[in-house]
Amino acid sequence: MRKLGIIFLLCLSINLPAQDNIDIIDREVLKQPTEEKKDSIFFGLLLKYAWSKPDSSLYYSQKEALLAKKLKSELMESRALSRYGYVLGMMGNYPQGIDYLLKTQKVARQLKDTSSLYWNYVFLTQLNTDRGDFEQAEFYAKKFKELHGQESQWFVRMASIYERSGRLDSALLYGRRAVDEEVKLNGKLAWSTIPLTLAEVYAKRKTYDSALHYYFITLSLSLKELLYKELIVTYNGIAEVYNNTGQNDSSFYYAYKSLELRSSNSYPVGTISTYQILYRLFRDKGRPDSAMGYLEQAIALKDSLFNQQKEREVQNIGFAEQLRQQDAIAQQTQYRNKLKLYILLSIAVVFIMIALLLIRNIRHRQKAFGMLQKQKTETDRQKAKAEQTLEELKSTQIQLIQSEKMASLGELTAGIAHEIQNPLNFVNNFSEVNKEMLAELNEEIDKRNYDDAKAIVKDVIANEEKINHHGKRADAIVKGMLQHSQTSTGKKEPTDINALCDEYLRLSYHGLRAKDKSFNADFKTDFDESIGKTGVVPQDLGRVLLNLFTNAFYSVTEKKKQQSEGYEPTVSVSTKKENDKVIIKVADNGMGIPQKVLDKIFQPFFTTKPSGQGTGLGLSLSYDIIKAHGGEITVETKEGEGSAFIIQLPV
């Protein structure tokens, strides 16, 4: 939390509220006897200013965070930064806003702050809906419903998700349920988001009279509270309806009404839509200069909000959050594997020392006592012991080889563990949604609302298809992992070499990313499509490729640590067919291999890695596997510039 607070203080400057208002609020906050009551004042300010004066909302969130630090209240600080992230997201800064919400969500769980968790899930639902990530939006909507929030809140959020994702029948059903719950709770329709969502649904269904009816209800409610986002969206919606019905003068009027609110900068996404509406209106009116002016403004504003860097930041944040819990398990597994390896190496060293001592004793006894029977008997006994020791050494070597295979399996598993989590999440989420929708289906059938029932059935079928799709994804991943973990039978199978190289390149990369989130490198492929399928043992060749890719990524990472300026770490793999051979080349621009040790790299137990980071068995096993295939593995390297391992296999 301390680090999060420091980042928070360095964020963008804002326009401060009037000093008189600040002084009044400061005095009112100081009067409150408990942290909860102090926090409730700041939460009221968020609801008041979020869409009318977002800069003021940001300022008061900062103010609460500073007060929380002074009072040493982790709860107040977490709530303040959560609201700060929400307002940042509403203003278009989705990556940083979602980052704040995910970090404060973790703190809220630790403090068991149910209220903060509820609003955190509501905020994440809205921001993910606005940026078009509907699966994440549904996930967080389910989360805040589990905390027993207001029914109208959940129904309208789901209606908005369905409307934005094009599932209009479901959107209409949930929107009507939201109206019923709101009227039941307050006796009237007082929340502008509900009629606005229904208006958007009717507009997309081209039921324009109903759309205008709900747009004007929203307009009345939004003007009372000065909710700029709702006003912008409503003006744009009315302008679109009038444009579609041929009432262009009215369309121009409401588009300009929306444009008047752009100075608030509270909802830049809505301003983009306004520019696009005016572009179409002027284009249809035959005024291309004005049309192009608004189109250029729309493109410029859209580029500033949705550039590729921001999208990558959001994806990285989501990926890091999904792997957070897996990191602890991966670290424990890695520790246990290292411990087993150290024990086996220690046993091997002891046996080697015993073997050397026994052999030395045998030679000394032979030299000292000649060919006497007594010495011969003793020598035979020592030889028997030596043979037994050698057998034990062979057994130990087999165990070490198996350990190396298990280590490669661990790297492979780390690379695909997060892949399994995604389809399982989808299966669980859609199963829960189907359960609820089937309950609603029963209600609609009892009411004889067969049209709504059919709409629900369509959604249930669509969800079942998604469950089936993601279930097959998980099944394919597990089968691939089991195939890798099986002991090789030595039986060659017709195998797509290109697909095998591509699969293990990506799994190696993701495996290293899972162990070290700071790791990053580029990888390239150049495959000869004329190769076709070649007879190999896919599990064994996969282990060779995994070892080569892992070594290459390690080399470029070490070079990146020493030469950060202007260096782009890159690993590449290429294939080609020459006469009766298939050539696989794995190259990198990393540290390279020193010439003085080049002759030793395929020897067992030789490694250039620091102690504890390598066993020296990877390349030795790879060499043996390629030889067993009737092939050859060689290396080309230049110290400081990179290496290339070349595998030649008979067709």
Side-chain angles (χ1 to χ4, degrees):
M1 282 304 300
R2 292 182 180 274
K3 184 176 181 182
L4 193 58
I6 292 171
I7 297 172
F8 166 78
L9 294 174
L10 297 175
C11 289
L12 54 86
S13 301
I14 60 174
N15 298 320
L16 301 181
Q19 186 61 44
D20 290 343
N21 292 340
I22 296 172
D23 294 339
I24 292 171
I25 290 168
D26 285 345
R27 289 195 296 270
E28 192 63 31
V29 169
L30 292 174
K31 288 179 185 178
Q32 305 305 315
T34 65
E35 293 179 3
E36 284 287 349
K37 291 187 176 182
K38 288 180 172 66
D39 178 72
S40 67
I41 292 178
F42 286 110
F43 187 53
L45 291 170
L46 171 80
L47 297 177
K48 179 178 177 63
Y49 290 119
W51 292 115
S52 57
K53 296 180 180 179
D55 286 346
S56 296
S57 187
L58 290 176
Y59 173 78
Y60 287 122
S61 298
Q62 286 182 333
K63 200 164 182 60
E64 181 180 9
L66 291 172
L67 177 61
K69 279 190 171 294
K70 186 175 181 180
L71 298 175
K72 298 181 179 179
S73 171
E74 197 170 13
L75 183 144
M76 280 183 65
E77 185 178 4
S78 171
R79 290 182 177 183
L81 296 182
S82 175
R83 295 161 194 161
Y84 183 82
Y86 172 55
V87 179
L88 279 181
M90 290 192 302
M91 295 175 71
N93 191 346
Y94 296 117
Q96 195 172 8
I98 292 176
D99 191 20
Y100 271 105
L101 288 168
L102 291 176
K103 289 176 180 176
T104 55
Q105 182 184 118
K106 177 182 176 182
V107 178
R109 284 200 206 99
Q110 292 171 348
L111 298 177
K112 298 182 179 179
D113 182 7
T114 305
S115 174
S116 182
L117 266 180
Y118 170 78
W119 283 107
N120 189 286
Y121 293 147
V122 172
F123 295 158
L124 282 168
T125 300
Q126 181 171 333
L127 294 187
N128 279 295
T129 301
D130 286 348
R131 62 180 291 271
D133 192 343
F134 304 120
E135 289 181 350
Q136 281 294 306
E138 287 189 50
F139 173 76
Y140 286 113
K142 177 177 177 293
K143 285 285 189 183
F144 78 71
K145 186 175 187 297
E146 290 173 356
L147 293 178
H148 308 294
Q150 296 178 5
E151 290 293 324
S152 59
Q153 174 85 261
W154 183 74
F155 279 122
V156 75
R157 297 296 179 193
M158 291 301 298
S160 180
I161 293 168
Y162 289 141
E163 179 268 319
R164 292 285 300 278
S165 59
R167 292 174 279 180
L168 300 183
D169 291 338
S170 297
L172 188 58
L173 174 64
Y174 278 80
R176 289 171 177 169
R177 293 291 298 275
V179 171
D180 294 341
E181 292 295 332
E182 179 72 5
V183 172
K184 185 191 302 181
L185 182 66
N186 298 315
K188 61 180 180 179
L189 196 59
W191 186 19
S192 59
T193 303
I194 295 175
L196 177 58
T197 302
L198 280 170
E200 298 281 88
V201 174
Y202 279 120
K204 284 187 176 182
R205 289 167 66 100
K206 298 183 180 179
T207 311
Y208 295 127
D209 290 340
S210 297
L212 287 174
H213 170 71
Y214 282 106
Y215 273 133
F216 283 114
I217 292 176
T218 307
L219 191 60
S220 175
L221 296 173
S222 301
L223 286 170
K224 289 180 183 178
E225 301 294 334
L226 284 180
L227 302 176
Y228 285 175
K229 176 190 175 183
E230 276 78 359
L231 285 172
I232 291 173
V233 174
T234 302
Y235 284 139
N236 286 345
I238 295 173
E240 287 277 19
V241 169
Y242 281 136
N243 185 26
N244 290 333
T245 56
Q247 303 177 62
N248 291 339
D249 291 339
S250 297
S251 183
F252 269 111
Y253 173 78
Y254 284 102
Y256 282 126
K257 290 290 287 183
S258 175
L259 205 59
E260 291 173 2
L261 301 174
R262 63 181 170 176
S263 60
S264 70
N265 197 29
S266 59
Y267 190 52
V269 176
T271 304
I272 292 173
S273 297
T274 307
Y275 287 144
Q276 292 171 338
I277 293 169
L278 287 168
Y279 159 72
R280 293 194 297 271
L281 287 170
F282 278 112
R283 181 196 62 192
D284 296 342
K285 199 173 182 180
R287 294 175 60 183
D289 292 341
S290 298
M292 289 305 298
Y294 283 111
L295 180 60
E296 289 171 358
Q297 292 184 69
I299 293 171
L301 185 54
K302 189 172 183 180
D303 286 345
S304 70
L305 288 176
F306 300 107
N307 59 67
Q308 293 179 357
Q309 182 60 34
K310 287 186 177 180
E311 285 301 313
R312 283 197 296 269
E313 290 174 5
V314 173
Q315 293 168 3
N316 289 336
I317 291 166
F319 179 74
E321 179 64 18
Q322 292 169 3
L323 291 181
R324 181 182 60 79
Q325 295 181 353
Q326 297 176 16
D327 285 344
I329 298 172
Q331 289 174 3
Q332 291 177 3
T333 303
Q334 184 181 15
Y335 172 76
R336 286 196 297 269
N337 288 340
K338 283 186 178 180
L339 186 61
K340 290 178 182 178
L341 184 60
Y342 291 151
I343 292 172
L344 291 173
L345 287 174
S346 300
I347 294 172
V349 170
V350 170
F351 278 121
I352 290 171
M353 292 178 65
I354 292 173
L356 292 174
L357 288 173
L358 290 174
I359 293 171
R360 181 186 175 192
N361 286 339
I362 291 171
R363 289 177 178 175
H364 282 188
R365 288 179 183 277
Q366 286 178 338
K367 184 177 181 180
F369 300 107
M371 300 298 295
L372 296 175
Q373 186 64 36
K374 182 179 178 180
Q375 286 79 4
K376 182 176 180 297
T377 303
E378 182 66 20
T379 300
D380 290 341
R381 188 177 68 83
Q382 296 293 347
K383 284 184 178 179
K385 287 185 178 180
E387 289 174 358
Q388 181 182 357
T389 301
L390 288 174
E391 288 298 322
E392 292 173 348
L393 283 172
K394 290 179 181 179
S395 175
T396 302
Q397 185 181 31
I398 292 171
Q399 293 177 19
L400 285 170
I401 291 171
Q402 185 62 26
S403 176
E404 179 70 18
K405 291 179 179 179
M406 291 304 294
S408 71
L409 178 60
E411 292 175 353
L412 179 67
T413 304
I416 64 178
H418 76 281
E419 299 267 355
I420 298 175
Q421 190 63 43
N422 283 339
L424 290 182
N425 281 342
F426 285 126
V427 170
N428 291 336
N429 290 342
F430 284 119
S431 296
E432 288 292 331
V433 172
N434 273 3
K435 181 179 177 182
E436 295 170 3
M437 294 183 73
L438 288 172
E440 292 175 9
L441 177 62
N442 283 333
E443 294 176 6
E444 297 300 332
I445 292 174
D446 290 341
K447 297 176 183 178
R448 300 193 177 185
N449 294 334
Y450 296 118
D451 290 339
D452 291 339
K454 288 180 180 179
I456 294 173
V457 169
K458 288 181 182 178
D459 290 333
V460 170
I461 292 172
N463 288 346
E464 287 298 324
E465 290 174 352
K466 292 178 181 177
I467 290 172
N468 181 263
H469 169 72
H470 292 293
K472 288 181 178 177
R473 277 185 58 201
D475 180 63
I477 293 168
V478 172
K479 284 181 179 177
M481 185 168 62
L482 288 175
Q483 184 182 23
H484 180 83
S485 65
Q486 290 173 353
T487 303
S488 172
T489 61
K491 183 179 179 181
K492 293 184 179 181
E493 303 172 7
T495 303
D496 188 335
I497 298 295
N498 293 341
L500 197 68
C501 291
D502 186 70
E503 176 186 1
Y504 280 92
L505 173 63
R506 298 180 187 280
L507 289 177
S508 174
Y509 175 79
H510 288 303
L512 293 172
R513 284 280 297 169
K515 292 191 291 185
D516 181 6
K517 288 183 282 187
S518 64
F519 165 77
N520 197 12
D522 190 15
F523 54 83
K524 300 178 180 179
T525 59
D526 181 15
F527 296 139
D528 183 353
E529 299 298 335
S530 67
I531 290 176
K533 292 189 176 182
T534 303
V536 297
V537 182
Q539 297 97 324
D540 289 350
L541 185 57
R543 291 190 180 101
V544 173
L545 293 170
L546 185 64
N547 178 262
L548 295 181
F549 292 139
T550 302
N551 288 347
F553 282 123
Y554 173 85
S555 178
V556 298
T557 302
E558 290 299 307
K559 186 172 180 179
K560 181 68 174 179
K561 293 177 182 177
Q562 300 178 14
Q563 183 181 341
S564 58
E565 295 294 331
Y567 172 66
E568 294 294 334
T570 305
V571 173
S572 64
V573 57
S574 63
T575 60
K576 64 179 179 179
K577 185 176 181 181
E578 290 186 356
N579 300 325
D580 59 346
K581 293 182 180 180
V582 172
I583 311 296
I584 304 172
K585 184 175 182 180
V586 177
D588 64 74
N589 62 345
M591 301 291 291
I593 303 172
Q595 287 294 325
K596 62 182 180 180
V597 301
L598 193 57
D599 295 336
K600 304 177 183 178
I601 61 172
F602 293 114
Q603 295 178 6
F605 305 109
F606 178 81
T607 179
T608 59
K609 296 179 181 178
S611 177
Q613 296 189 24
T615 63
L617 288 173
L619 286 177
S620 175
L621 286 173
S622 300
Y623 182 85
D624 292 341
I625 290 171
I626 298 302
K627 282 293 182 184
H629 278 75
E632 183 180 359
I633 180 170
T634 57
V635 60
E636 298 175 355
T637 184
K638 190 169 184 181
E639 190 171 356
E641 295 185 9
S643 303
F645 284 83
I646 302 166
I647 299 172
Q648 298 184 31
L649 296 172
V651 175

